[in-house]
Amino acid sequence: MGKRRSRSQSQLLNSLTKKQKKHLRDFGEEHPFYDRVSRKEAKPQTCQLSESLDTSSSESEAESEPEQVSGYNRLLATLKDVSKEDEEEEEEEDSVIDETEMNLEDGDSDISVEEETAVESTDMQKNAALPADPKGKDGHGPPGTSEESPEEFTDAKHESLFSLETNFLEEEGGGNCPLKASQDPFAQHVNKELKEKEIQAVATNPKTTHQLKWPILGQLVFSSRFQQLETFKPPKDIDLKSLHLQKPLESTWIKTNSQFLSGPPKSSSPFTPLQKELFLIMNSYRDLFYPERTALKNGEEIRHVYCLHAINHVLKANAQVLANNSRCRSQKRGVGDDDDFRDQGLTRPKVLIVVPFREAALRVVQLFISLLEGDSKKKIIVSNKKRFNGEYGSDPEERPPNLKRPEDYEAVFVGNIDDHFRTGVAILQRGIRLYAPFYSSDILIASPLGLRTIIGGEGEKKRDFDFLSSIELLIIDQADIYLMQNWEHVLHLMNHMNLLPLDSHGVDFSRVRMWSLNNWSKYYRQTLLFGALQDAQINSVFNKYCVNVQGQVAVRNVPMTGSISHVLVQLPHVFQRMEAENLASVIDARFNFFVNKILPQYRDAVMSHTLIYVPSYFDFVRLRNYFKKEELNFIHICEYTQKSGVSRARHFFLQGEKQFLLLTERFHFYKRYTIKGIRNLIFYELPTYPHFYSDVCNMLQATTRGEEAAWTCTVLYSKYDAQRLAAAVGVERAAHMLQSKKNVHLFITGER
């Protein structure tokens, strides 16, 4: 076939409708309905056959077929016998023909919608069957960010600059490569060799623990599943040189952290007391769980110190790779010295930072830039900075000016609060590349939802989690917020951490560390977990998934007072204990106890204006269905209720038209509306956040009409709610309540 169709064939193709072309492609002939029949009757013709012709000869029929090829058969041959070189040309011509047909008024009037949809779906399947972009195959495609566009990852200008394979160590910017004999904690950690017996014994060895009290962090619990458990206490004074910070962090850290320091930068300590103790634990490469991180008080302090640790780790790891690149270039490696060059994992990403909102990711990147620039007049290269600021920044005018919320709410929901994002950051030679492909990145910054959409689930065709195979530092910040989003995403992420990759992704296996090849990466991964509260689900993740060879450190301070001391209204608090055989039966035991013991007391019309606070959405659905079945006079508000429905429910409850109001904790977390008209308060379960208890109780003072004497507050709890109970009433009262085996009614009046 030539490069162009003949003019007659093109005209014939142009005259076809979509339905005709579809039938032609599928069956190789024109539909009988469209056969062109002349109105004039054709005269019959008679012909005489030669006597020597054998009509039954199949050879004669085969020889006569090429002579009787119709126009449609010739057209079909042109459609089927297309060479690979002409496919793109034909697609362009077909698209022009389709556009021409769409402009015709009478040509396609007989085509049904179903047939058009079938043709479009066929075209989509053909486009999907085309060869994928080679960049998408090796991870340089969609996993880079949440916004997947054709122009993504086309930063060819900086591709070679941030490549670890083609760069070498610079004497002025890289520093010295840490050696095995070095006192650098990084070198000691990555060069630590485990034996097969130690790995096998981890599952059976009992966890050894030791408690220490530090001046600022308080009560610490050191633990390890390996035989050796080492503890230490913080020194009084700390020197930056003793921390083995990579250049240029020694000079840039003081300026970056100056907003938290008191006194002149040169005379004062480079860390705050809290930062000093936290960084000492981080720099020892132990797992850390700090449950007292609050956005209103110490959130930025902690973000600064873990960003310092993350970028210090990346700079050291990259410096080691670049130094070995220089050694490989200057000398030929022998057979026996391959282990000296093992300096990387199976994939390049080393650090994963999980944050809940885009604003947090923006602040992390800004800290990285500040830590690399510092006071130097020479600005570092930051590629795609404008795009990043536009997508992760926020417009102050978008926020309603008259919106009044508590201070902790303003601190959490500041800036861009989109929770679906992911991006890669490459750091090399005093430069930062934003929106780097995941497999060309050193640091990944993402939300749990953003990672969940990449990792996918069982049975999904498009899923990728190889980039998690060699994560050496996992930072989960503001873990308590994930309880309000979707905790299943966090569990899904942890289940896919440090698995062997399904593809090699172009790795040089002679440079991969042996413990990474042995699938022991999870024993070398450091996990830093920060949250605002002690919660059983967060504790479970730390205890189950953190198996670092260096050990674990958890802060275990107990609350002495409890949030009940912040209740401003004179209100009797009745705590009723329910019994459950085990943790799995708590949900059913609580429901039965509420339906049989608590709810009958509030069915009377006298007990109107009753608010039921439900922390779990699943419990909320169960109660809502039960209330509908019993035909109770109630209204409900959850995080999925539209604004008009919320206003209508609040009005009905205030006017007394609805006796009960079911309220979810997630709605209170995201909205913080003041519910007016509450006279009776029931906590179906203790709140996740301790201060929510006092917040909801103080709603009773929103409408004071002389009913203060009739106010009630009932709380359901069990022995499995020890942490939440201690946070609400204090550790001493909680211990007394948990020791009692019978249902205890404690009447506690909040102090003004």
Side-chain angles (χ1 to χ4, degrees), residues 593-703:
F593 184 83
F594 175 80
V595 170
N596 299 326
K597 302 289 184 179
I598 305 299
L599 190 59
Q601 305 175 16
Y602 292 86
R603 284 180 175 267
D604 195 341
V606 179
M607 305 296 290
S608 61
H609 297 270
T610 300
L611 172 69
I612 304 176
Y613 181 91
V614 188
S616 172
Y617 182 77
F618 300 103
D619 291 335
F620 164 79
V621 173
R622 189 175 187 180
L623 289 175
R624 183 190 62 189
N625 295 340
Y626 177 80
F627 277 38
K628 288 182 178 180
K629 180 180 178 181
E630 297 294 325
E631 297 182 353
L632 298 177
N633 185 21
F634 81 104
I635 197 71
H636 58 84
I637 300 177
C638 68
E639 56 271 22
Y640 303 110
T641 306
Q642 297 182 358
K643 190 174 182 180
S644 58
V646 173
S647 300
R648 184 166 55 254
R650 294 173 67 188
H651 173 74
F652 289 161
F653 184 73
L654 177 61
Q655 299 300 325
E657 298 181 20
K658 299 295 182 180
Q659 182 178 358
F660 296 98
L661 171 61
L662 295 178
L663 183 73
T664 62
E665 184 175 64
R666 291 175 65 184
F667 174 82
H668 180 69
F669 174 79
Y670 284 106
K671 299 299 182 181
R672 303 292 177 91
Y673 287 176
T674 299
I675 307 298
K676 298 181 179 180
I678 304 175
R679 298 180 187 176
N680 304 291
L681 184 60
I682 300 177
F683 285 94
Y684 186 79
E685 186 181 1
L686 284 163
T688 304
Y689 286 90
H691 65 277
F692 282 3
Y693 184 85
S694 58
D695 289 348
V696 177
C697 289
N698 290 331
M699 290 182 184
L700 276 73
Q701 66 180 354
T703 53

Side-chain angles (χ1 to χ4, degrees), residues 200-219:
Q200 295 176 354
V202 169
T204 58
N205 284 343
K207 181 183 291 187
T208 57
T209 60
H210 184 75
Q211 295 186 4
L212 285 179
K213 188 173 184 180
W214 284 23
I216 304 300
L217 293 179
Q219 196 71 25

Side-chain angles (χ1 to χ4, degrees), residues 260 274 290 292-302 407-408 411-412 566:
F260 304 108
L274 175 62
Y290 182 70
E292 299 177 10
R293 186 252 192 234
T294 59
L296 193 60
K297 296 181 180 180
N298 56 12
E300 290 304 314
E301 278 187 77
I302 296 174
E407 293 182 353
D408 65 294
V412 171
H566 299 287

Side-chain angles (χ1 to χ4, degrees), residues 141-359:
T145 64
S146 57
E147 293 79 22
E148 301 171 2
S149 61
E151 299 179 357
E152 206 170 26
F153 312 134
T154 57
D155 190 12
K157 179 180 178 181
H158 303 97
E159 182 68 31
S160 60
L161 178 63
F162 292 93
S163 175
L164 284 178
E165 291 79 9
T166 59
N167 283 274
F168 305 94
L169 186 64
E170 294 182 357
E171 295 180 0
E172 58 179 3
N176 296 326
C177 175
L179 301 176
K180 290 186 177 181
S182 173
Q183 298 298 322
D184 189 351
F186 168 81
Q188 294 178 352
H189 178 64
V190 298
N191 294 326
K192 187 180 181 66
E193 296 182 0
L194 290 175
K195 298 180 180 179
E196 185 72 25
K197 296 180 180 180
E198 295 178 318
I199 299 298
Q200 295 176 354
V202 169
T204 58
N205 284 343
K207 181 183 291 187
T208 57
T209 60
H210 184 75
Q211 295 186 4
L212 285 179
K213 188 173 184 180
W214 284 23
I216 304 300
L217 293 179
Q219 196 71 25
L220 302 184
V221 178
F222 289 79
S223 61
S224 177
R225 296 184 181 180
F226 293 86
Q227 295 181 356
Q228 297 181 354
L229 175 62
E230 298 179 358
T231 61
F232 67 98
K233 291 186 178 181
K236 294 182 179 180
D237 299 326
I238 189 171
D239 185 13
L240 283 178
K241 295 182 179 180
S242 63
L243 299 177
H244 301 277
L245 295 180
Q246 191 77 359
K247 294 180 181 180
L249 299 180
E250 291 184 6
S251 59
T252 59
W253 167 250
I254 297 178
K255 180 184 178 181
T256 304
N257 198 45
S258 59
Q259 57 179 314
F260 304 108
L261 304 178
S262 58
K266 295 183 179 180
S267 61
S268 62
S269 173
F271 297 94
T272 64
L274 175 62
Q275 288 177 335
K276 181 185 73 172
E277 297 187 2
L278 287 176
F279 189 77
L280 287 174
I281 299 176
M282 296 178 189
N283 205 33
S284 66
Y285 281 90
R286 290 176 170 86
D287 296 330
L288 173 64
F289 174 39
Y290 182 70
E292 299 177 10
R293 186 252 192 234
T294 59
L296 193 60
K297 296 181 180 180
N298 56 12
E300 290 304 314
E301 278 187 77
I302 296 174
R303 180 179 286 119
H304 274 64
V305 73
Y306 75 62
C307 284
L308 172 65
H309 179 58
I311 200 168
N312 184 45
H313 179 86
V314 170
L315 291 177
K316 289 181 179 180
N318 288 350
Q320 188 179 31
V321 174
L322 298 181
N324 287 336
N325 289 347
S326 301
R327 293 173 59 194
C328 292
R329 181 178 60 173
S330 60
Q331 64 181 12
K332 294 183 178 180
R333 287 185 292 172
V335 179
D337 57 355
D338 283 347
D339 290 343
D340 295 338
F341 296 92
R342 296 191 180 274
D343 50 16
Q344 51 194 275
L346 292 168
T347 54
R348 180 172 173 177
K350 309 170 185 64
V351 179
L352 173 61
I353 302 178
V354 183
V355 289
F357 304 119
R358 285 180 181 259
E359 175 67 21

Side-chain angles (χ1 to χ4, degrees), residues 374-388:
D375 295 329
S376 61
K377 297 180 181 179
K378 184 180 179 181
K379 298 295 182 180
I380 64 173
I381 299 175
V382 182
S383 62
N384 303 318
K385 183 177 181 181
K386 184 177 180 181
R387 174 189 171 188
F388 184 81

Side-chain angles (χ1 to χ4, degrees), residues 113 213 232 330 335 361 422 430 529 660 718 736:
V113 177
K213 188 173 184 180
F232 67 98
S330 60
V335 179
R422 53 186 178 268
R430 297 179 62 84
L529 191 57
F660 296 98
S718 68
H736 173 72

